[in-house]
């Protein structure tokens, strides 16, 4: 009987998640929901952004009526920023968040995080990147030390594993098998 090992998983997509200032006390509950939804938290940091940093982060919203309130709100206290990874991370995170307006989320997506933790359209509790490109930009903004290299997928990932990882593992495991420990206990 042959034992089948599952294929190694390579998480090909990352997204940014932010727990906003007014619900930072729910951090543990939210992280638990994130992990139960199949995400891996790759990086995490707690920080407080200045109004200028918030203006830069939300630069695409500049000129909109809510922009001053948004930057004031986001700089009003500490936030928790996380880099989440899984297959289709951006779309699954948006689905878990629900609509940006928490009042609408309570009606249409009652079990979403914004329905559970948000209070209105501005104070919706959590942030999520809108696309893969915005996720990369936002991750670089909040995690400047992060290395965001393109991760191989499909056949490229299999080729990489076969060419670099498997030979190294095989050599290491072979060397281990040849060594007899002096004291196995």
């Amino acid at each position: 009987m042959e034992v089948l090992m599952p294929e190694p998983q390579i998480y090909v997509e990352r997204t940014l998640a932010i727990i906003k200032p007014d619900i930072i006390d729910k951090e543990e509950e939210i992280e638990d929901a994130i992990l139960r939804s199949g995400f891996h938290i790759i990086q995490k940091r707690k920080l407080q952004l200045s109004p200028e940093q918030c203006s830069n982060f939300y630069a695409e919203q500049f000129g909109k009526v809510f922009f001053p309130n948004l930057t004031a709100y986001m700089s009003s206290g500490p936030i928790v920023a996380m880099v989440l990874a899984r297959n289709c991370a951006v779309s699954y995170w948006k689905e878990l968040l629900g609509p940006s307006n928490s009042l609408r989320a309570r009606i249409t997506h009652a079990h979403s995080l914004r329905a559970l933790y948000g209070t209105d359209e501005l104070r919706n509790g959590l942030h999520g990147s809108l696309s893969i490109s915005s996720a990369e930009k936002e991750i670089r903004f909040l995690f400047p030390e992060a290395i965001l290299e393109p991760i191989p997928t499909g056949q490229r990932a299999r080729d990489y594993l076969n060419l670099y990882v498997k030979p190294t593992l095989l050599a290491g495991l072979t060397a281990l098998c040849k060594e007899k420990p002096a004291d196995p206990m």
Side-chain angles (χ1 to χ4, degrees):
M1 185 165 88
E2 185 180 332
V3 178
L4 297 175
M5 295 295 291
E7 293 263 337
Q9 288 206 315
I10 297 175
Y11 299 100
V12 296
E13 200 172 288
R14 295 181 193 117
T15 192
L16 181 75
I18 297 177
I19 300 174
K20 295 182 180 181
D22 55 334
I23 64 161
I24 200 149
D25 59 323
K26 305 290 186 188
E27 176 185 351
E28 204 171 294
E29 290 174 36
I30 293 166
E31 281 184 32
D32 186 51
I34 289 168
L35 295 172
R36 279 185 285 120
S37 297
F39 288 95
H40 291 271
I41 299 172
I42 304 299
Q43 288 183 285
K44 175 179 141 180
R45 69 187 283 214
K46 189 180 225 177
L47 67 153
Q48 182 157 355
L49 298 174
S50 69
E52 293 77 22
Q53 288 171 313
C54 290
S55 293
N56 291 335
F57 184 79
Y58 287 108
E60 292 175 3
Q61 306 297 333
F62 184 76
K64 295 188 179 172
V65 176
F66 60 84
F67 184 76
N69 290 337
L70 176 64
T71 56
Y73 164 52
M74 289 300 291
S75 61
S76 68
I79 61 169
V80 174
M82 294 174 280
V83 178
L84 307 181
R86 70 168 282 172
N87 293 327
C88 303
V90 173
S91 60
Y92 279 116
W93 179 236
K94 287 197 300 192
E95 185 180 320
L96 186 60
L97 285 175
S100 61
N101 184 327
S102 297
L103 302 174
R104 189 175 336 120
R106 285 191 188 98
I107 297 166
T108 62
H109 297 77
H111 298 293
S112 69
L113 293 177
R114 286 179 173 152
L116 297 171
Y117 298 106
T119 53
D120 56 34
E121 189 168 6
L122 178 66
R123 297 181 183 274
N124 60 10
L126 297 125
H127 169 84
S129 302
L130 295 175
S131 66
I132 294 172
S133 61
S134 67
E136 288 176 0
K137 186 181 108 193
E138 292 171 354
I139 290 168
R140 279 192 187 96
F141 186 91
L142 291 172
F143 296 90
E145 73 289 351
I147 298 171
L148 294 176
E149 295 178 10
I151 299 173
T153 61
Q155 188 58 46
R156 286 183 54 219
R158 285 186 287 283
D159 291 345
Y160 179 85
L161 289 172
N162 288 329
L163 188 61
Y164 297 106
V165 177
K166 287 182 181 178
T168 304
L169 286 175
L170 184 61
L173 291 171
T174 302
L176 279 173
C177 289
K178 290 180 181 178
E179 292 292 320
K180 182 177 179 185
D183 182 14
M185 298 300 204

